[in-house]
Amino acid sequence: MGTLKAYGDEVLSVFQLIGDKENDITKSIAWALNKCPSFLVNVVHEVLELKADPEAVDILYQSYDAATGITDIEMTDYKTFYLIIEAKRGWILPGAEQLTKYSIRDTFTMAPVKKKAIVSMSECSEEYAKCNLPFMEVNGVPVKHLSWKRIYDLAGNSRDSSNNAQKKLLEELQTYLRGIMTMQTKESNWVYVVSLGSGSPEGSNISWIDIVNKCGRYYHPVGGKGWPKEPPNYIAFRYEGQLQSIHHIEDYVVSKNMHDEIVEMPDEEWDENHFIYKLGPAITPSKLVKTGNIYPSGRVWAMLDTLLTADTISEARDISKERML
């Protein structure tokens, strides 16, 4: 069978043809909830701990109210539960104003149901959302969060109790969700090369070098001041005037508290979000690769093979740039 491509990328799920913007994600989730009863039941149970009757549930997509705006998804059976779902792309959470407006929406407040909740959906982990949502309850309405990873898991858990058509749809939804999550570009051999100082982060009892070599971790701000906005596939470390190691980034979290992943760091919350990387085994250059013409604290990008063959990191950087011309 041949391949289908859209805008140069292979299409592996029908949901990819809808798109990957926030409204597109909402459409995809709404469609899957409507067509896969087990998925709907599992999502409602995850949020409210009750078993919904999918035959009695209405799903409203982008419902407009003059006073409170447009909701992404509303779900209700009009007697036991009512959910308002706000979906975001990336590590974003709804703000206080938006959540407050939803909590006072007439159709929501007047609904004679036993349980209500406003649900945030985005890539943010549940742990991150607990610390960063403006509140966990607004006007008496609980505010819950489901990460795309959790939605992915719920879709997978729903397949065994679904028919063949529903199983296929849930499989395609999982493929789609993998694509919209902030993921490393797996085919990329670009390496982000950073400098490690000889000291320690403020307030910690472990050095920058030991965080990498002993803990297998590294962290930096999410975007801003030249830092990446998305995790690279590979990261390399230089100190003592030379390239020391290259690591594949196996996993990552976003947090304001480095102690969550690196116990030697102080248990305190910072003002801005940071990527905390879990590093794979070190790839050690087989020869001496000096720093070259790079500022002492400078950070550069270079292709993996050039770092292993060039005499300096700056040479690897320049060769990599020339390839892109």
Side-chain angles (χ1 to χ4, degrees):
M1 182 182 294
T3 60
L4 170 63
K5 292 188 176 182
Y7 307 106
D9 296 325
E10 185 177 0
V11 176
L12 302 174
S13 164
V14 66
F15 294 109
Q16 288 175 258
L17 296 175
I18 299 174
D20 61 3
K21 300 185 184 305
E22 285 184 359
N23 286 347
D24 304 326
I25 298 170
T26 306
K27 292 175 192 174
S28 301
I29 295 294
W31 182 258
L33 288 167
N34 180 247
K35 295 301 179 182
C36 303
S38 292
F39 181 49
L40 183 150
V41 168
N42 285 339
V43 169
V44 173
H45 187 269
E46 180 77 7
V47 176
L48 298 176
E49 296 184 347
L50 63 81
K51 185 173 182 179
D53 175 8
E55 294 295 324
V57 176
D58 280 350
I59 301 172
L60 310 176
Y61 167 72
Q62 298 244 316
S63 179
Y64 173 75
D65 177 84
T68 60
I70 301 174
T71 52
D72 282 345
I73 298 174
E74 297 180 40
M75 286 201 306
T76 183
D77 64 359
Y78 303 102
K79 60 181 181 179
T80 59
F81 80 92
Y82 201 131
L83 295 179
I84 293 180
I85 298 173
E86 176 64 23
K88 300 288 187 185
R89 198 189 194 292
W91 283 79
I92 300 175
L93 294 168
E97 182 180 0
Q98 187 173 32
L99 293 174
T100 301
K101 282 185 176 180
Y102 289 169
S103 72
I104 59 173
R105 198 175 176 90
D106 284 346
T107 53
F108 188 58
T109 58
M110 296 173 64
V113 300
K114 298 176 182 178
K115 289 192 174 183
K116 299 177 184 179
I118 300 172
V119 183
S120 159
M121 288 185 183
S122 74
E123 193 175 348
C124 299
S125 67
E126 281 74 17
E127 295 78 10
Y128 175 85
K130 286 178 183 177
C131 298
N132 291 275
L133 278 167
F135 25 61
M136 303 307 296
E137 182 179 294
V138 53
N139 290 322
V141 180
V143 178
K144 305 291 185 72
H145 178 78
L146 292 178
S147 65
W148 291 133
K149 183 179 185 305
R150 186 60 188 145
I151 295 294
Y152 177 95
D153 292 339
L154 290 172
N157 296 340
S158 304
R159 290 170 62 182
D160 286 346
S161 53
S162 300
N163 63 34
N164 289 336
Q166 293 160 0
K167 286 179 180 177
K168 179 60 178 174
L169 185 64
L170 290 169
E171 181 181 348
E172 295 212 350
L173 178 66
Q174 288 185 294
T175 299
Y176 176 70
L177 290 172
R178 282 198 301 269
I180 66 171
M181 290 188 240
T182 304
M183 299 289 286
Q184 302 144 299
T185 306
K186 298 302 181 185
E187 67 273 13
S188 172
N189 69 341
W190 282 94
V191 183
Y192 189 55
V193 186
V194 303
S195 172
L196 293 180
S198 58
S200 302
E202 184 177 352
S204 74
N205 57 5
I206 186 171
S207 70
W208 288 105
I209 293 173
D210 283 347
I211 288 174
V212 171
N213 293 338
K214 293 184 179 181
C215 299
R217 298 290 192 275
Y218 183 72
Y219 65 88
H220 67 72
V222 177
K225 297 182 180 179
W227 292 104
K229 295 180 180 179
E230 295 185 359
N233 204 19
Y234 291 95
I235 191 166
F237 303 100
R238 64 178 179 89
Y239 53 91
E240 297 178 354
Q242 67 185 71
L243 177 67
Q244 298 288 341
S245 61
I246 304 169
H247 303 255
H248 179 256
I249 293 176
E250 302 289 341
D251 199 4
Y252 69 94
V253 298
V254 175
S255 178
K256 293 181 179 180
N257 190 332
M258 303 306 103
H259 181 76
D260 293 341
E261 297 291 322
I262 308 167
V263 295
E264 294 84 355
M265 293 290 291
D267 188 3
E268 60 185 27
E269 186 169 296
W270 295 354
D271 292 335
E272 58 183 340
N273 291 320
H274 284 65
F275 285 128
I276 308 177
Y277 300 139
K278 178 183 178 182
L279 306 176
I283 302 170
T284 305
S286 59
K287 65 171 189 172
L288 176 65
V289 181
K290 294 184 177 180
T291 297
N293 186 24
I294 302 174
Y295 288 112
S297 60
R299 305 183 296 269
V300 301
W301 290 90
M303 293 182 178
L304 179 59
D305 63 303
T306 66
L307 285 171
L308 298 174
T309 56
D311 293 325
T312 66
I313 298 172
S314 59
E315 180 187 355
R317 171 200 61 195
D318 295 342
I319 293 171
S320 302
K321 287 181 178 179
E322 288 175 5
R323 288 181 182 176
M324 302 304 294
L325 297 177

